[in-house]
Amino acid sequence: MTGDAALIDRFLEMMAAEAGAARNTLSAYETDLRLASDASGGRLAQADAAAIGRVSDGWSALAPATVARKAAALRRFFAFLLDEGFRADDPGIALPRPGTTRGLPRTLSTGDVDAMFAAITARVARDPPDRNDLRLSALFELLYGSGLRATELVSLPRGAVASDRPYMILKGKGGRERMVPLSDRARAAVAAWRDHVPADSPWLFPSGKAHLTRVRLYQIVRALAAEAGIPPDRISPHVLRHAFATHLLEGGADLRALQAMLGHADIATTEIYTHVDRARLVRLVNERHPLIDAAPVRP
């Protein structure tokens, strides 16, 4: 059988080409597999269930989420070896399956969002308007109005948003393309900002010789939150993406449509928002149901 290093490389190539795995995912898989190979004396690909058990025993001090990630990487690797004929069995059954509880994503109320947009409106209304306020308006309209990831937003090409087209085609995680809806407000905000972007800039949000960084976007978002009276530690660009998804679902959006808009490869990732919505419904029942104040029925 080919050695671990070559098989890991082939597995990563498959994950990139066929599964469309993102760069960060590939990097994590590579690290986990190479560490497991070292722990098994360079014989991970030939390891039996007992050997795999010894490797996973070394994870005992790690957080459940980390163990789950490492086990998932090894399971996919062994499934690949089985599919490609490098093994006749799959020892992945010996890997642990820690019971990790996925926390609900932090989000914002519609009142929080209204407060931030009110602060933006007050800024843009100043005469003459500051170009940074126009940029702020465009950034927030796209973050909350279209649910973009921070990296997707800051790296948008100058011509990504057309004034006569209510959507844009975006290449997101794993190189997957998706159609992103654009509100009239977002297109108007981008058009007002683009008038201040140099014509030779390849980016919609340029900064120096490149585009706006994710760190700077994070700082901009937190500064506006503070101005709107929202504790800055409650907000980030990704929280605004969560708010986009949560509020759409609360408004009756279809889960499959939401998956497409967010660019999730797996519907299971999108389903976390059903838990957010369910939590809201439970809270509504506990706080607003007409029987709350009624005396309990005694047997």
Side-chain angles (χ1 to χ4, degrees):
M1 179 185 283
T2 308
D4 280 355
L7 288 173
I8 290 172
D9 287 342
R10 289 179 66 165
F11 167 72
L12 295 173
E13 288 172 6
M14 180 278 294
M15 288 293 294
E18 297 179 22
R23 185 181 304 171
N24 288 347
T25 301
L26 293 173
S27 177
Y29 276 10
E30 180 177 11
T31 298
D32 290 338
L33 290 171
R34 297 203 189 282
L35 287 173
S37 177
D38 291 343
S40 59
R43 296 181 57 81
L44 179 65
Q46 294 100 340
D48 58 15
I52 294 302
R54 288 193 292 274
V55 170
S56 62
D57 286 344
W59 304 341
S60 59
L62 301 178
T66 303
V67 173
R69 189 201 70 223
K70 287 178 173 290
L74 265 65
R75 268 193 290 272
R76 295 199 73 161
F77 178 62
F78 288 126
F80 163 77
L81 295 180
L82 184 62
D83 290 344
E84 295 295 313
F86 291 109
R87 289 191 68 121
D89 65 328
D90 184 351
I93 192 171
L95 290 162
R97 293 181 179 271
T100 57
T101 301
R102 188 174 185 180
L104 297 180
R106 286 186 300 162
T107 187
L108 299 166
S109 69
T110 53
D112 291 333
V113 173
D114 288 344
M116 285 189 291
F117 276 106
I120 292 172
T121 299
R123 281 177 169 231
V124 173
R126 294 186 292 199
D127 189 20
D130 187 300
R131 67 186 300 274
N132 287 331
D133 293 336
L134 296 176
R135 182 183 68 175
L136 178 68
S137 177
L139 287 168
F140 266 76
E141 290 289 354
L142 291 171
L143 263 178
Y144 177 71
S146 297
L148 299 186
R149 297 180 177 95
T151 299
E152 295 169 343
L153 176 62
V154 297
S155 61
L156 282 175
R158 190 181 191 280
V161 177
S163 59
D164 60 346
R165 192 175 63 206
Y167 64 89
M168 63 179 168
I169 304 299
L170 191 70
K171 183 172 287 189
K173 251 184 174 180
R176 292 183 293 271
E177 286 191 341
R178 73 180 190 275
M179 187 174 72
V180 177
L182 293 167
S183 68
D184 292 341
R185 286 175 44 144
R187 285 182 287 150
V190 169
W193 159 245
R194 192 162 43 212
D195 287 343
H196 297 267
V197 178
D200 60 349
S201 170
W203 313 109
L204 180 58
F205 300 106
S207 179
K209 295 182 179 180
H211 56 69
L212 191 71
T213 66
R214 295 195 321 172
V215 171
R216 182 64 188 126
L217 176 64
Y218 182 87
Q219 293 168 341
I220 290 170
V221 167
R222 284 203 152 190
L224 182 69
E227 186 176 330
I230 299 167
D233 60 356
R234 285 185 49 213
I235 192 168
S236 70
H238 209 64
V239 169
L240 281 164
R241 174 173 158 87
H242 287 320
F244 161 82
T246 304
H247 296 165
L248 272 181
L249 195 63
E250 289 175 356
D254 173 78
L255 199 62
R256 286 288 180 186
L258 188 59
Q259 177 192 7
M261 285 187 280
L262 291 171
H264 289 159
D266 189 341
I267 189 68
T269 307
T270 318
E271 284 174 346
I272 186 66
Y273 295 106
T274 65
H275 300 306
V276 175
D277 196 43
R278 198 173 303 141
R280 182 185 68 92
L281 292 176
V282 170
R283 190 167 61 251
L284 283 174
V285 169
N286 287 331
E287 294 175 358
R288 307 284 181 85
H289 196 284
L291 292 179
I292 294 252
D293 297 324
V297 175
R298 298 186 182 278

